[in-house]
Amino acid sequence: MTAPLRLVIVGGGTAGWMTAAAFASTFRADQMRIRLIESSEIGIVGVGEATLPHIRFFNKRIGIDEQELMARTQATFKLGIEFCDWGRVGDSYVHPFGAFGTRAGPVPFHHLWLRQAREGKAKPIEEYSLPIVAARQNKFALPAENKDDIMSTFGFAFQFDASLYAAYLRTFAEQRGVVRTDGKIIDVKLRGDDGRVESVKLSDGSDVTGDLFIDCSGFRGLLIEQALKTGYDPWTKWLPCDRAVAMPCENAGRLTPYTRATAREAGWQWRIPLQHRMGNGYVYGSEFIGDDEAAARLSSRLDGKALAEPRFLRFTAGRRRRTWNRNVVAIGLAGGFLEPLESTSIHLIQVAITTLIDYLTEQSLADGGDFDPRIVDGFNRWIEMEYDRVRDFLILHYHATERDDAPIWNYCRNMQIPDSLAHKMELFRHRAHVVTYKDGLFLEPSWLAVYFGQRVMPEAYDPRVAAWSDEELTKWLGTMHARIAEGVMRMPAHEEFLAQYCPASAMPPKSEMPTMIAAKRPS
Amino acid sequence: MNTAVKNVVIAGGGSIAWIAASALRRTLKSNGVEVTVVDSPEAGAPAARWTLPSQRGAHAQIALNEADFMRQAEATYRLGSEIRAWQTPNGGFLIAHGDIGAPIDVTPFYKYLLSRAMQGNAENPEMYSVVAGAARMGRFARPMGAGNDLSASFTYGYHLDERAYVMMLRAQAEKFGVRVVPGRIAAVDRREDGDIESLTLDDGQAVTGDLFLDCTGATGELISRLDDAPRLDWAHWLPCDRRLTAFMPPSAEPAALTRILASDAGWLFQAPLARANFVGHVYSSAHLTDEGALQVLLRIAGQLGTPPEITRFNSGRRAKFWLRNCIALGGSAVQIEPLAGADLHLAQLGLATLLELYPLDRRGGGEAQEFNRVVGEYADSLRDFTVAHYRLSKRPGAFWDTARTAEPPETLAVKLDLYGAGGRIDIRDHEVFEEGEWVWLLMGSGLMPRALEWQIARAVSGLKSQQASELRDYVARLVTSMPRHIDFLHRVRSTPANAPGANA
């Protein structure tokens, strides 16, 4: 038996503890020794309070009890994201976790809907999506197992307190053998022959050696960038926001089972309802608004009383050139940053973790981190694809707008978008065709929601729809509409469901930093 | 909403032309789409062929009854190919249309075999595969049984006589109201804007249309007049450029299997038909003369039943298949040796993509670009699968050295790298073959991963050798319970048309 691989995780935010929890639940102690170094002097950038349904695969894979997780993180359910004021001021649409209608034969539903809508015989498309109808009525129930049941046509995710989530995962990971070291890294030692990271030096003078290092140190990329000079590709020309300010407030009104993203004069504002408070923030471009003004705007647009002073954050949208370089894998903000418009931050962390675990071979574990370059390249290609596909989808939100009331929207409306996105939009405008792919995030319903929601209206639809008679179509759509309406009627209110499923009342929040993207404390 | 592109003209009279005609007419009849086939020869079409399972779907799409098809096209069933002498003089492996074993929870069974092989206990994957057992033992049944049972763990394609198949497909197209104009294409007439306006036939008749499909085969009689872009040449990876074929008397008991045997300058094949054997030699003219190729075939086959025919081809594809109002399908788009039997499959993927993107007007809105992207990826994946056979061969000789040592296409290099490092097979967006086919090829070729992914290794370590041997026994019992292929064929061929059970 060879010595266990020494895994060193640098940084203890969401990314760090998700990594620790996943590795600890996957590998035995005789295969891997996991140590996480975090400094209590350095605040975490708790990325992402809003998640995507994929997180449930992660939870299942590592053995997290979701009911307990929800109760401990003040969590609420999430059926989608409401986008306000994106196409035009006054517009609202929901990007749902579920499909629009049911496909009939080879033709996707939205083509059938378009034909009926043209003739004034269809309801708005969101009424053919169960999660949207439920979200609009603030209702929630768990999806049904039976695939024929209309109640099976949606998925869900969570909205939770990121700091509580990290704390929850920390307990989970430590119970499974992860050793936490409180310390600040002051130096990184590279090996002479191949430039790999050999050890990190802590401020108390001790050295921590390792075979594989996971850089979860946030934007600065302590290992991946400062030590290995990997390089970063900025996407600022398409995603011009480079700042955020966060400010939680008291809840007021009903707990919505969805996140809201409202387009503003210099970016957009998030609103994430948790059981004990509301998370809020303003993502903006520093070129378009000053920090103080952004904070003032945000605080004037809260649902309830502010619970903290504004916290600021700076970032550059983009991706690290190599997520895995030598024996360092960058996960979380160290690997890249895409604004949380579509709640992708935790998802991209999750993808990096699970892909890394899947790609690790017996050999690389046995040989003390002698990673086959073919595996490293394969991993990097995969992560690049994930980032690039999310990127295009985000750019669509900024570009597909008719707003001309602020410089940021004038810029985005007219900017040169990536060819891959221009091609997708052309095909949708021309004939409602959605370019789909097998791997990567955001399938057909996601693209449809944004296209329709932001007024990218197709000139035509799939000609094969002509094979349907008017009566057939009317019946198909009518039945679906009725089944969805009836299904939602039977669902309990979101608050009611939460109260019996995962009340957090007995567990007051421990964290002092309840923000989606909390700023760094002075270190 | 309707389409302004009403009048489709299909040039070429081979199987893909007729399948496309029927599918387009049947799907878009409600849109008033009329289809005309200019029935002219398809250059380079084979006299018989072996197909992938997707042919069953193609037949369903054009309402072709299986029993009728089997009878009229002189068809036999096909469970896969046997690839012999590519590694060692007497060794061979199967590429079969079915599973190896049953998944261990969610982990494919072949990973267990890889893990055993790495420990020095290599086993033949065929022992765990119903489809392989049936192919080897000359047996056949349609997949049956419920869900995950191994009796449903496979599918099948066909061997068919092209001339008889074409006659049948033409009759079917005419049933759907496809107009047929016999004649050879003398000229392609262009509009001022460069689009094709009409085809002038050798009798002077002009056939006008809105959209033209070029199914004329290797010559690409329409598309080559529009396209001055360089072809993407594959010859440095696939040096074979000749196909010598003939028919022979049938085998007494044909297996549902295409047999492929390496020669010194290419490979020989034998494909069983109901009343003949289709045999041939695919080879590189740079390494072997036509006469030499014939001698090699004769040495193996003995006497041929028909005079040999020689067809030339150039492996490669067009950079763009859809140009202006013309779309190339089949040999006019892609030429490749028939090792994988995927010519019709690839053309049908093109057809399916066209049905998704059938143009609404002459101007278009990105359809051609999307078609060229998607079908290009499919074509390249077929290239990769074919090239991999050569890349992984161990056969000595000048021809084999040339093919093996060519730097592989990047997409293939990536695939082989990931498998070689960790036993992982990644299938990207538009690929002709799935993990299953790649496994047969990679394991059969003897490419051994350096290691297994750790998670996978753990998943398969739970399987006990007792369980594996029970699985082997179950597979063997299933195979022996299947009818002989020849009996199954007799039964299907004697099924009256439209009888219950005549459909697949």
Side-chain angles (χ1 to χ4, degrees):
Chain A
M1 203 64 205
T2 48
L5 186 106
R6 294 164 303 171
L7 182 78
V8 178
I9 301 166
V10 172
T14 309
W17 285 114
M18 278 179 78
T19 306
F23 274 84
S25 70
T26 305
F27 295 95
R28 291 194 314 261
D30 62 324
Q31 290 163 328
M32 197 175 279
R33 269 212 307 270
I34 306 168
R35 188 201 290 244
L36 186 146
I37 303 168
E38 67 177 337
S39 166
S40 45
E41 290 173 28
I42 302 175
I44 66 160
V45 177
V47 176
E49 291 195 319
T51 59
L52 294 173
H54 308 68
I55 194 174
R56 305 195 57 221
F57 294 114
F58 184 78
N59 291 340
K60 185 169 175 214
R61 181 169 170 154
I62 74 171
I64 283 180
D65 177 332
E66 290 188 339
Q67 224 166 328
E68 186 195 332
L69 170 73
M70 289 188 73
R72 292 201 177 272
T73 59
Q74 297 282 350
T76 59
F77 287 102
K78 178 178 175 191
L79 291 167
I81 305 171
E82 184 192 17
F83 289 88
C84 296
D85 300 341
W86 285 82
R88 288 180 193 166
V89 174
D91 283 357
S92 156
Y93 69 93
V94 176
H95 169 191
F97 297 151
F100 291 97
T102 318
R103 123 191 326 259
V107 186
F109 172 81
H110 68 278
H111 295 282
L112 309 182
W113 176 81
L114 274 167
R115 177 172 138 191
Q116 289 292 90
R118 290 273 163 100
E119 296 166 16
K121 294 175 190 159
K123 301 275 203 288
I125 196 162
E126 70 169 43
E127 293 183 25
Y128 300 91
S129 163
L130 189 134
I132 303 185
V133 175
R136 293 287 193 199
Q137 297 180 28
N138 292 316
K139 292 199 165 188
F140 186 82
L142 298 174
E145 302 270 326
N146 175 6
K147 294 286 163 231
D148 297 328
D149 190 337
I150 192 79
M151 297 303 291
S152 73
T153 60
F154 67 99
F156 66 90
F158 314 105
Q159 304 168 130
F160 52 49
D161 181 318
S163 299
L164 295 178
Y165 181 55
Y168 178 83
L169 291 176
R170 175 178 162 186
T171 308
F172 181 95
E174 286 182 325
Q175 280 166 356
R176 285 160 182 77
V178 172
V179 175
R180 174 182 180 272
T181 301
D182 191 337
K184 201 174 152 195
I185 293 169
I186 55 167
D187 195 20
V188 179
K189 189 173 169 201
L190 302 186
R191 212 155 70 180
D193 53 344
D194 57 8
R196 284 169 38 149
V197 173
E198 186 167 279
S199 62
V200 292
K201 184 181 279 299
L202 306 185
S203 52
D204 67 2
S206 63
D207 288 306
V208 178
T209 54
D211 301 310
L212 178 61
F213 287 83
I214 310 293
D215 187 346
C216 300
S217 66
F219 295 121
R220 59 204 175 124
L222 197 61
L223 306 183
I224 195 81
E225 194 58 50
Q226 293 185 18
L228 298 186
K229 315 267 181 260
T230 304
Y232 191 80
D233 290 325
W235 292 336
T236 324
K237 65 176 168 177
W238 296 308
L239 297 168
C241 289
D242 58 354
R243 303 274 169 98
V245 53
M247 191 187 294
C249 74
E250 286 177 352
N251 274 327
R254 301 188 61 181
L255 271 186
T256 55
Y258 55 87
T259 299
R260 182 179 295 148
T262 306
R264 297 295 191 203
E265 58 284 313
W268 60 277
Q269 179 179 339
W270 77 73
R271 174 191 178 277
I272 301 172
L274 309 181
Q275 291 190 37
H276 61 314
R277 63 162 173 82
M278 183 79 72
N280 307 284
Y282 189 176
V283 175
Y284 56 95
S286 58
E287 196 186 316
F288 303 101
I289 196 170
D291 293 344
D292 292 344
E293 194 187 344
R297 298 270 183 155
L298 176 62
S299 66
S300 72
R301 289 161 173 161
L302 302 179
D303 283 19
K305 200 179 109 198
L307 292 172
E309 288 299 304
R311 295 172 190 279
F312 292 93
L313 183 78
R314 296 172 177 222
F315 55 81
T316 305
R319 170 171 52 69
R320 197 71 59 196
R321 289 212 177 103
R322 294 171 65 79
T323 307
W324 186 344
N325 190 4
R326 297 180 208 169
N327 63 336
V328 174
V329 181
I331 292 182
L333 303 176
F337 183 84
L338 284 163
E339 56 191 85
L341 184 56
E342 283 283 0
S343 313
T344 49
S345 306
I346 285 184
H347 179 73
L348 289 168
I349 292 171
Q350 170 186 340
V351 165
I353 293 169
T354 53
T355 306
L356 178 60
I357 289 176
D358 285 347
Y359 275 58
L360 282 178
T361 62
E362 298 167 286
Q363 167 270 322
S364 51
L365 293 181
D367 296 353
D370 169 22
F371 303 109
D372 192 318
R374 297 172 295 182
I375 291 193
V376 174
D377 290 347
F379 173 88
N380 283 329
R381 264 193 308 275
W382 192 270
I383 300 298
E384 263 175 45
M385 180 204 71
E386 291 276 359
Y387 268 86
D388 292 358
R389 288 185 167 170
V390 171
R391 178 200 69 189
D392 275 12
F393 189 58
L394 293 187
I395 296 170
L396 173 66
H397 294 67
Y398 280 95
H399 182 63
T401 182
E402 294 176 8
R403 286 185 66 156
D404 57 3
D405 57 318
I408 190 171
W409 301 114
N410 287 332
Y411 171 77
C412 291
R413 207 178 56 246
N414 294 312
M415 70 186 167
Q416 178 102 26
I417 57 176
D419 291 344
S420 47
L421 176 59
H423 172 62
K424 290 185 184 94
M425 291 182 72
E426 182 189 16
L427 271 169
F428 190 77
R429 278 211 177 92
H430 181 60
R431 58 183 300 141
H433 180 83
V434 179
V435 174
T436 52
Y437 35 74
K438 194 163 76 64
D439 305 304
L441 201 55
F442 300 124
L443 306 178
E444 188 170 77
S446 303
W447 289 87
L448 284 175
V450 181
Y451 285 140
F452 283 129
Q454 298 195 201
R455 299 172 180 271
V456 181
M457 292 317 275
E459 290 155 18
Y461 47 79
D462 192 317
R464 289 174 293 180
V465 176
W468 290 66
S469 75
D470 238 17
E471 293 71 39
E472 285 171 326
L473 269 189
T474 305
K475 192 172 164 213
W476 183 260
L477 267 71
T479 307
M480 197 173 312
H481 190 268
R483 285 176 68 202
I484 288 171
E486 283 161 22
V488 171
M489 205 154 62
R490 289 196 305 271
M491 289 167 91
H494 181 217
E495 287 110 332
E496 267 172 51
F497 192 88
L498 278 175
Q500 56 89 13
Y501 187 80
C502 54
S505 47
M507 301 175 197
K510 294 178 215 154
S511 166
E512 295 290 309
M513 291 188 37
T515 49
M516 176 176 192
I517 300 179
K520 223 193 280 183
R521 285 181 196 163
S523 53
Chain B
M1 177 55 53
N2 238 320
T3 171
V5 181
K6 301 279 189 204
N7 194 353
V8 182
V9 175
I10 301 177
S15 41
I16 191 58
W18 297 110
I19 291 171
S22 287
L24 280 164
R25 172 69 185 162
R26 211 177 170 216
T27 308
L28 296 166
K29 195 177 168 186
S30 314
N31 303 81
V33 169
E34 303 282 346
V35 180
T36 304
V37 173
V38 174
D39 188 2
S40 53
E42 178 190 344
R49 56 168 97 229
W50 51 99
T51 82
L52 297 182
S54 65
Q55 215 57 26
R56 297 169 66 194
H59 292 171
Q61 193 180 22
I62 61 173
L64 211 61
N65 168 299
E66 185 175 80
D68 292 349
F69 159 73
M70 296 301 295
R71 201 166 34 235
Q72 291 185 40
E74 300 293 340
T76 67
Y77 292 101
R78 175 176 189 274
L79 293 170
S81 294
E82 180 194 36
I83 313 286
R84 266 180 59 206
W86 288 58
Q87 317 299 329
T88 57
N90 298 311
F93 61 91
L94 293 184
I95 297 180
H97 299 310
D99 297 346
I100 298 167
I104 304 158
D105 192 11
V106 293
T107 305
F109 186 81
Y110 77 88
K111 307 268 191 184
Y112 165 78
L113 295 179
L114 283 179
S115 149
R116 297 269 299 158
M118 285 173 195
Q119 295 155 12
N121 302 308
E123 286 185 87
N124 188 342
E126 293 179 21
M127 307 283 287
Y128 294 90
S129 170
V130 172
V131 69
R136 290 287 189 196
M137 307 269 294
R139 295 184 181 260
F140 181 80
R142 294 202 187 97
M144 61 188 121
N148 297 327
D149 191 85
L150 290 186
S151 55
S153 69
F154 65 97
T155 174
Y156 61 89
Y158 305 106
H159 302 100
L160 58 85
D161 181 280
E162 179 76 359
R163 200 166 301 132
Y165 188 45
V166 164
M167 278 171 58
M168 182 179 201
L169 292 171
R170 181 198 288 138
Q172 195 71 359
E174 285 179 317
K175 251 195 261 175
F176 292 124
V178 170
R179 190 167 75 107
V180 182
V181 181
R184 285 173 179 273
I185 295 156
V188 173
D189 316 306
R190 313 277 294 271
R191 294 177 214 270
E192 270 179 19
D193 63 6
D195 280 10
I196 299 178
E197 180 165 30
S198 62
L199 307 179
T200 300
L201 308 187
D202 49 5
D203 63 1
Q205 179 184 183
V207 182
T208 58
D210 301 316
L211 181 69
F212 292 81
L213 299 199
D214 185 343
C215 302
T216 60
T219 48
E221 293 187 38
L222 277 50
I223 192 94
S224 61
R225 296 182 209 222
L226 304 182
D227 188 6
D228 48 9
R231 238 171 125 259
L232 305 177
D233 186 55
W234 296 343
H236 49 300
W237 295 305
L238 299 170
C240 289
D241 58 355
R242 295 282 191 283
R243 194 176 63 215
L244 183 154
T245 62
F247 287 99
M248 285 178 53
S251 314
E253 178 135 8
L257 191 63
T258 316
R259 296 187 193 278
I260 308 280
L261 173 67
S263 73
D264 286 340
W267 47 276
L268 304 158
F269 66 82
Q270 181 201 25
L273 301 174
R275 286 193 285 214
N277 260 310
F278 181 52
V279 297
H281 193 177
V282 176
Y283 56 98
S284 155
S285 64
H287 296 86
L288 189 63
T289 62
D290 294 345
E291 181 53 33
L294 177 62
Q295 292 310 318
V296 173
L297 178 61
L298 289 173
R299 265 208 303 281
I300 302 289
Q303 210 172 350
L304 302 180
T306 57
E309 287 179 23
I310 293 179
T311 311
R312 299 168 174 226
F313 61 91
N314 299 301
S315 283
R317 72 166 174 100
R318 288 187 186 280
K320 290 178 178 172
F321 313 120
W322 184 335
L323 264 181
R324 301 183 171 278
N325 62 341
C326 178
I327 300 168
L329 281 183
S332 57
V334 179
Q335 288 184 54
I336 190 165
E337 59 190 74
L339 186 57
D343 320 32
L344 281 182
H345 178 62
L346 183 61
Q348 278 150 199
L349 288 168
L351 177 61
T353 308
L354 170 59
L355 288 171
E356 291 247 307
L357 295 168
Y358 186 83
L360 306 175
D361 53 41
R362 291 213 9 239
R363 181 178 53 91
E367 289 99 340
Q369 188 189 344
E370 181 68 357
F371 183 93
N372 291 331
R373 181 182 79 88
V374 168
V375 182
E377 287 180 15
Y378 281 130
D380 290 347
S381 77
L382 173 58
R383 173 203 64 195
D384 286 359
F385 191 75
T386 309
V387 171
H389 288 70
Y390 290 98
R391 179 75 180 165
L392 300 175
S393 78
K394 298 187 185 74
R395 194 183 169 91
F399 166 83
W400 292 93
D401 287 343
T402 304
R404 181 172 40 241
T405 54
E407 190 66 29
E410 202 201 330
T411 41
L412 174 60
V414 162
K415 210 174 232 111
L416 296 180
D417 274 355
L418 270 182
Y419 184 79
R424 162 176 286 264
I425 299 173
D426 273 351
I427 303 294
R428 308 315 289 260
D429 279 344
H430 301 104
E431 296 206 24
V432 163
F433 292 107
E434 295 292 325
E435 184 178 16
E437 286 93 354
W438 279 98
V439 170
W440 283 109
L441 174 59
L442 296 173
M443 286 188 77
S445 297
L447 180 59
M448 190 60 76
R450 181 182 178 196
L452 270 193
E453 288 162 322
W454 185 83
Q455 288 270 88
I456 295 286
R458 183 173 66 167
V460 300
S461 67
L463 192 82
K464 302 201 168 46
S465 61
Q466 173 70 18
Q467 291 169 287
S469 82
E470 282 167 17
L471 187 63
R472 277 198 312 268
D473 294 346
Y474 181 56
V475 166
R477 281 203 304 279
L478 275 177
V479 170
T480 46
S481 73
M482 288 165 86
R484 292 157 69 216
H485 181 220
I486 189 87
D487 292 341
F488 198 96
L489 281 175
H490 284 320
R491 205 157 67 224
V492 169
R493 287 172 64 85
S494 58
T495 308
N498 304 320
N503 272 305

